[in-house]
Amino acid sequence: MMKVMVKDGKTLNVKTFDVKEEEIDDYTTVLELLLKLREERDPSLVLRYSCRMALCGSCGMVINGKPRLACLTKVKSLGEKIMVEPLRNLPTIRGLVPDLIPFFQKYRSVTPHLIGDEEQERPTRAYTQTDNQVKRYLQFNYCIQCGLCYSACPIVATNEKFPGPAAINVAYRYSADSRDRNPQRVLKLDTPEGVWSCRVAGSCSFVCPKGVDPSLAIQLVKSSLLRGGKP
Ligand code: SF4
Ligand code: FES
């Protein structure tokens, strides 16, 4: 018998469910289990999800103390007791659903897209890149904006002005792109509340479900600032 505890981030109530071994198999994910519990035992469970395949980034929650995607986490990998809570460092809307607006406001504040020059605005040719130019930003491009890194970050927890790992990661991704012409994006992060707040705990990279290394992106932004600006 397995115990599954689900904490409502708004009321702080914890509901406990006994789950029999026969109810899960080797492939059952936490998301599937929560949906089953909602359908069969407690229709008041509130959660958010969409793709069920680690693409949309909407099912982030803290599972046994670690921010994870519920659709990517196998129940059998978690032991006899499972505690599920909403993401930390964000307000809860209801149940297990975090309010991601503060996360996306910071993400948007770094201009997370290419800014070209006038010629690129009215392109007359393809702006091709070499393999090495693509490699400079490729791994940072795999972010799905799930917010797990934001939830895991100890600096976000103590400094609400810190943009957070995902925002700095995407700032690096576009600034390191040979087609980008926006030096301001990283210069705006050159403040005590910006990249210099990071103490390299590395928890962002540890929890990222897509293999992105936002901690490395933050250090690369610091390095480029020390060398004068754009990566
Ligand atoms: S860097 Fe990773 S953990 Fe952070 S938002 Fe992107 S995919 Fe999620
Ligand atoms: S439901 Fe889309 S990432 Fe989990």
Side-chain angles (χ1 to χ4, degrees):
M1 186 77 81
M2 174 181 283
K3 280 217 179 308
V4 179
M5 289 156 282
V6 182
K7 184 173 180 180
D8 184 311
K10 201 75 179 170
T11 64
L12 305 184
N13 287 338
V14 178
K15 293 182 176 172
T16 303
F17 303 89
D18 290 325
V19 176
K20 293 186 189 130
E21 286 290 320
E22 314 84 82
E23 293 186 83
I24 55 164
D25 62 28
D26 289 350
Y27 305 103
T28 307
T29 64
V30 171
L31 177 61
E32 287 167 336
L33 178 57
L34 290 171
L35 292 175
K36 182 177 165 66
L37 292 173
R38 184 173 73 176
E39 194 171 315
E40 297 176 2
R41 299 199 218 170
D42 186 346
S44 73
L45 286 182
V46 181
L47 60 150
R48 179 164 56 206
Y49 67 99
S50 179
C51 70
R52 305 185 189 211
M53 55 178 76
L55 288 176
C56 71
S58 60
C59 68
M61 49 190 80
V62 174
I63 302 170
N64 284 4
K66 180 181 173 188
R68 312 177 203 234
L69 294 180
C71 71
L72 194 61
T73 305
K74 301 279 192 307
V75 173
K76 285 219 168 162
S77 70
L78 297 166
E80 298 297 300
K81 283 189 183 172
I82 301 177
M83 180 74 180
V84 186
E85 306 164 71
L87 289 183
R88 296 173 184 148
N89 296 340
L90 290 160
T92 300
I93 296 173
R94 202 172 148 204
L96 289 168
V97 179
D99 181 355
L100 288 167
I101 286 178
F103 169 77
F104 280 113
Q105 279 174 335
K106 290 179 180 177
Y107 194 87
R108 193 161 55 182
S109 74
V110 301
T111 324
H113 53 83
L114 287 178
I115 296 191
D117 55 24
E118 272 187 33
E119 187 199 346
Q120 284 166 277
E121 294 302 315
R122 283 177 287 281
T124 54
R125 62 184 174 89
Y127 291 90
T128 54
Q129 294 183 299
T130 64
D131 284 351
N132 281 340
Q133 284 173 325
V134 173
K135 276 181 194 158
R136 292 190 70 218
Y137 65 80
L138 187 60
Q139 73 126 320
F140 306 105
N141 200 44
Y142 292 130
C143 173
I144 57 170
Q145 296 106 47
C146 64
L148 300 195
C149 54
Y150 192 88
S151 174
C153 176
I155 305 301
V156 171
T158 53
N159 177 359
E160 65 176 25
K161 291 188 178 163
F162 181 57
I168 301 175
N169 178 77
V170 76
Y172 179 77
R173 179 262 173 266
Y174 285 107
S175 297
D177 191 308
S178 60
R179 299 164 295 183
D180 186 68
R181 301 283 180 272
N182 178 17
Q184 293 306 317
R185 191 185 294 106
V186 288
L187 291 177
K188 280 203 282 188
L189 294 168
D190 189 11
T191 67
E193 312 287 1
V195 283
W196 304 109
S197 282
C198 174
R199 296 290 180 267
V200 205
S203 44
C204 51
S205 301
F206 178 65
V207 302
C208 179
K210 302 305 285 186
V212 181
D213 190 349
S215 180
L216 174 61
I218 297 169
Q219 309 329 308
L220 288 169
V221 171
K222 288 179 182 172
S223 161
S224 66
L225 288 170
L226 290 174
R227 286 181 283 106
K230 205 166 174 346

